[in-house]
Amino acid sequence: MKRLWSAAPTLSTFLVVALPLSVPCVLSVTDAHAAGRPAPAVRSVGQVPGHPLVLYPGREGTAAAYCPQGMKPTGGGATVESDLRSAVFFRKSAPDAAGNRWVVQAYNASDEVQTVHPRVICTTDGSITQRPEADVPLQPGESVHSTASCGNARYAVGGGFEAGSRTFVSISDSPDIRSWSAMAKYTDYSPDAPPSYLRTFVVCSDTEPVWKAGTTATLAVGEVGMATAECPAGQVPLSGGGAGSLDVLLTTSAPTATGWTVWAKNTGFDPHTLFASVMCAVP
């Protein structure tokens, strides 16, 4: 996969606090300067878990993780911690219109009960906005690609996707400094199935993040594999994602304390490669 950029200057005004995964939120505070000078303005970032979602085989459900008041989401996702190799596919992982939570929608294609754990990354960056791209229609069995852009003056710090019924994502990540891309496959092959859609979201900021490529995994036919991306020392994730082929469906895409992890299943007929990436912030 070609990348158009690899790193960015450090963010001298962005104060970031790394959290243990059990801590619901963080607001960083600076000490006042000596000699009575006022403290500088501070931005912060932290992770918040949502309530787990229990999915029975063949069932679909929705879960969300909320930012505390005064913070906005930059990224988010979900982990299927009951069985990381399970066939639980996602048709939504995106910020909501109100801008205070991250919503995931998952379908359990496995034969066992699975538990989905949502998580959101939140920031006090007041310049954060989100942009949805227009819906791209899909026909049964079709795959489509969509990109949402921040324009030429702002930076992509995260993003997500939403798709119709039985339409599951195979790519959700940032291909360059200004945008977020997604690709999804409509897995209902019936000619009588109604049209579906893919909508891509990008989260934009005035402050440029640091983008880091991660590991790759080659997946044999039917295999489930993992790829990870780590932020440089002293940095924490703002968002992240994964990318495979149209037949490599993501089963987990979520932040860790220091990076991003993706799992995916190769549902195609040839070996394919899974990539991971992460966007990071520095003090």
Side-chain angles (χ1 to χ4, degrees):
M1 174 177 290
K2 182 179 180 181
R3 294 290 178 182
L4 303 183
W5 65 300
S6 60
T10 59
L11 314 180
S12 60
T13 60
F14 204 109
L15 177 61
V16 181
V17 178
L19 296 178
L21 295 183
S22 61
V23 178
C25 65
V26 62
L27 291 177
S28 59
V29 180
T30 55
D31 294 329
H33 280 189
R37 289 178 293 177
V42 175
R43 299 175 185 177
S44 61
V45 60
Q47 295 185 25
V48 185
H51 290 291
L53 169 68
V54 177
L55 285 178
Y56 287 87
R59 300 297 296 271
E60 183 176 272
T62 301
Y66 289 79
C67 290
Q69 186 174 3
M71 303 185 81
K72 297 180 180 180
T74 58
T79 301
V80 186
E81 294 181 5
S82 50
D83 181 1
L84 289 170
R85 296 184 177 274
S86 64
V88 175
F89 303 130
F90 291 87
R91 72 181 186 93
K92 182 174 184 177
S93 181
D96 73 341
N100 68 338
R101 64 176 184 162
W102 198 269
V103 181
V104 296
Q105 195 163 12
Y107 173 77
N108 183 3
S110 77
D111 297 327
E112 304 290 338
V113 177
Q114 306 293 347
T115 304
V116 177
H117 296 262
R119 182 171 289 274
V120 62
I121 301 175
C122 306
T123 181
T124 56
D125 180 355
S127 72
I128 290 292
T129 59
Q130 57 171 281
R131 291 186 180 183
E133 181 61 28
D135 292 1
V136 179
L138 291 93
Q139 298 301 316
E142 186 180 15
S143 294
V144 296
H145 183 272
S146 172
T147 298
S149 174
C150 292
N152 295 326
R154 308 191 73 214
Y155 303 99
V157 294
F161 59 89
E162 180 180 349
S165 177
R166 300 300 297 271
T167 304
F168 306 124
V169 73
S170 55
I171 293 176
S172 180
D173 76 346
S174 176
D176 56 55
I177 200 171
R178 307 289 186 187
S179 64
W180 193 269
S181 291
M183 184 166 70
K185 183 173 184 177
Y186 190 5
T187 62
D188 191 335
Y189 296 92
S190 170
D192 299 323
S196 185
Y197 69 93
L198 171 64
R199 181 183 308 140
T200 304
F201 298 81
V202 62
V203 179
C204 306
S205 173
D206 291 341
T207 305
E208 186 175 357
V210 173
W211 181 91
K212 296 293 291 183
T215 63
T216 62
T218 300
L219 307 183
V221 176
E223 185 180 10
V224 177
M226 176 187 71
T228 63
E230 287 293 315
C231 291
Q235 303 180 23
V236 294
L238 290 171
S239 66
S245 77
L246 56 88
D247 291 316
V248 176
L249 303 182
L250 300 186
T251 61
T252 278
S253 182
T256 66
T258 58
W260 203 268
T261 296
V262 292
W263 286 78
K265 181 174 183 177
N266 182 359
T267 64
F269 299 98
D270 298 292
H272 291 292
T273 302
L274 175 66
F275 301 84
S277 64
V278 65
M279 288 180 164
C280 309
V282 300

